[in-house]
Amino acid sequence: MSIEISKASSHLLEGMKVESTSRGFKMILDEPIEAGGSNTGMNPVEAILCALGSCQCLITKMIASNMGIKIEDLKINLQGELDPTGYQGDTSVRPGYEAIRSTFIIKSNTSEEQIKELITQVEKFCPVGDTVSNGTNLVVDYVVEK
Amino acid sequence: MSIEISKASSHLLEGMKVESTSRGFKMILDEPIEAGGSNTGMNPVEAILCALGSCQCLITKMIASNMGIKIEDLKINLQGELDPTGYQGDTSVRPGYEAIRSTFIIKSNTSEEQIKELITQVEKFCPVGDTVSNGTNLVVDYVVEK
């Protein structure tokens, strides 16, 4: 076992704008005007879809290369389904995504069978996919500064 | 029940670079040089931490406002623990995060009790937090283009 630690930091700015950084890279998320934000970036539930799609792309590339499959182009369309009454306070509804659908559009000349096996492997080994589908131990702690 | 659909699309570019878009906003993720990337952005497991931290910031702001708590400043430090042997093929190890730790640094003059209650509410109602800690139904499908 060789645990690797990834780090990030999020800072609440004015309105609904949040600036996050990880290894010096910056991500600005916000909410649309109609949700009380200033629409300067995608929102957090959209950002998690992008993290998932990106991870699925990279794992597909890695596994395709191991399997000797040539991918000419890969695009993944993602769709997340969420009932906002959940985070707005209705405790009979979960606040997070009920489901996420991920459709791979793969350009390749390899056999249908090979592609099917590739997708099966991607579902098995994708880090963000596993985190999102199987959940993870989320530990929240806090420090108060006066 | 009023399900809202969020959408995103990820496109594998050269190397380990992935460009994702959602509502016209762009996110470039990549891997560090030592992981075979060109280090032009954070990677997907870092990006999911940023999505989580941002969501926790916004839900904190929303709930604090409902509770009449004044937050002068909020920063959240996140740390994810992952064993890379999992996504590299060792099926005895999960490929995703074993744990994510989120530390809120809250500047506020409100009572310790109120802050404790605030954090409890944030843990209960955060959309990305719920998705990540309880998991979601992830459905993967594909289309092959010759």
Side-chain angles (χ1 to χ4, degrees):
Chain A
M1 221 148 91
S2 60
I3 294 288
E4 270 179 21
I5 306 284
S6 297
K7 287 184 181 186
S9 185
S10 298
H11 191 194
L12 181 62
L13 305 182
E14 73 284 357
M16 307 286 273
K17 218 165 145 177
V18 182
E19 180 178 302
S20 299
T21 51
S22 183
R23 266 189 310 118
F25 297 108
K26 198 161 85 169
M27 185 189 295
I28 298 278
L29 301 183
D30 197 348
E31 291 287 344
I33 308 285
E34 57 273 24
S38 52
N39 202 40
T40 58
M42 62 179 79
N43 71 23
V45 293
E46 290 164 336
I48 195 179
L49 295 181
C50 294
L52 173 61
S54 301
C55 204
Q56 288 175 323
C57 279
L58 294 180
I59 288 290
T60 302
K61 180 165 183 159
M62 188 186 98
I63 295 173
S65 160
N66 291 345
M67 289 175 70
I69 296 174
K70 194 168 178 265
I71 301 281
E72 279 163 60
D73 194 50
L74 174 62
K75 208 178 153 186
I76 302 181
N77 292 327
L78 301 112
Q79 187 171 303
E81 302 168 7
L82 190 146
D83 182 342
T85 59
Y87 70 79
Q88 286 159 3
D90 180 347
T91 50
S92 71
V93 173
R94 70 175 297 184
Y97 276 130
E98 308 271 355
I100 297 176
R101 289 166 213 288
S102 196
T103 306
F104 289 51
I105 297 146
I106 306 172
K107 200 170 173 196
S108 175
N109 277 317
T110 196
S111 70
E112 182 69 25
E113 222 165 50
Q114 285 274 87
I115 294 285
K116 205 175 164 179
E117 175 59 19
L118 171 64
I119 299 290
T120 303
Q121 296 292 321
V122 170
E123 285 194 80
K124 211 163 158 179
F125 292 109
C126 177
V128 175
D130 170 56
T131 302
V132 160
S133 61
N134 296 316
T136 191
N137 181 23
L138 176 56
V139 184
V140 173
D141 203 356
Y142 65 91
V143 177
V144 181
E145 290 178 351
K146 293 288 170 187
Chain B
M1 219 143 99
S2 61
I3 294 289
E4 270 180 19
I5 305 284
S6 296
K7 287 185 181 187
S9 184
S10 297
H11 191 195
L12 181 62
L13 305 181
E14 71 284 359
M16 307 286 274
K17 218 165 145 176
V18 181
E19 180 179 301
S20 299
T21 51
S22 183
R23 264 190 312 120
F25 296 107
K26 198 161 84 170
M27 185 189 295
I28 297 279
L29 301 182
D30 197 347
E31 291 287 341
I33 308 284
E34 57 273 25
S38 53
N39 202 41
T40 58
M42 61 179 81
N43 69 25
V45 293
E46 290 163 337
I48 194 177
L49 295 182
C50 294
L52 174 61
S54 302
C55 204
Q56 288 174 323
C57 279
L58 294 181
I59 288 290
T60 302
K61 179 164 184 160
M62 187 185 98
I63 295 173
S65 161
N66 291 344
M67 289 175 70
I69 297 174
K70 194 168 178 265
I71 302 281
E72 278 164 60
D73 195 49
L74 174 62
K75 208 178 152 184
I76 302 180
N77 292 328
L78 302 113
Q79 187 170 301
E81 303 169 7
L82 189 147
D83 183 343
T85 59
Y87 70 79
Q88 285 160 4
D90 181 347
T91 50
S92 72
V93 174
R94 70 175 295 184
Y97 276 129
E98 309 272 354
I100 298 177
R101 289 167 213 288
S102 196
T103 305
F104 289 51
I105 298 145
I106 306 172
K107 199 168 173 198
S108 175
N109 278 318
T110 196
S111 70
E112 182 69 25
E113 224 165 49
Q114 285 273 86
I115 295 283
K116 206 175 164 182
E117 175 58 19
L118 171 64
I119 299 290
T120 303
Q121 296 293 323
V122 170
E123 285 194 81
K124 212 163 157 181
F125 291 109
C126 177
V128 174
D130 169 58
T131 302
V132 160
S133 61
N134 296 316
T136 190
N137 180 25
L138 176 55
V139 184
V140 174
D141 204 355
Y142 65 91
V143 177
V144 182
E145 290 178 350
K146 292 289 172 187

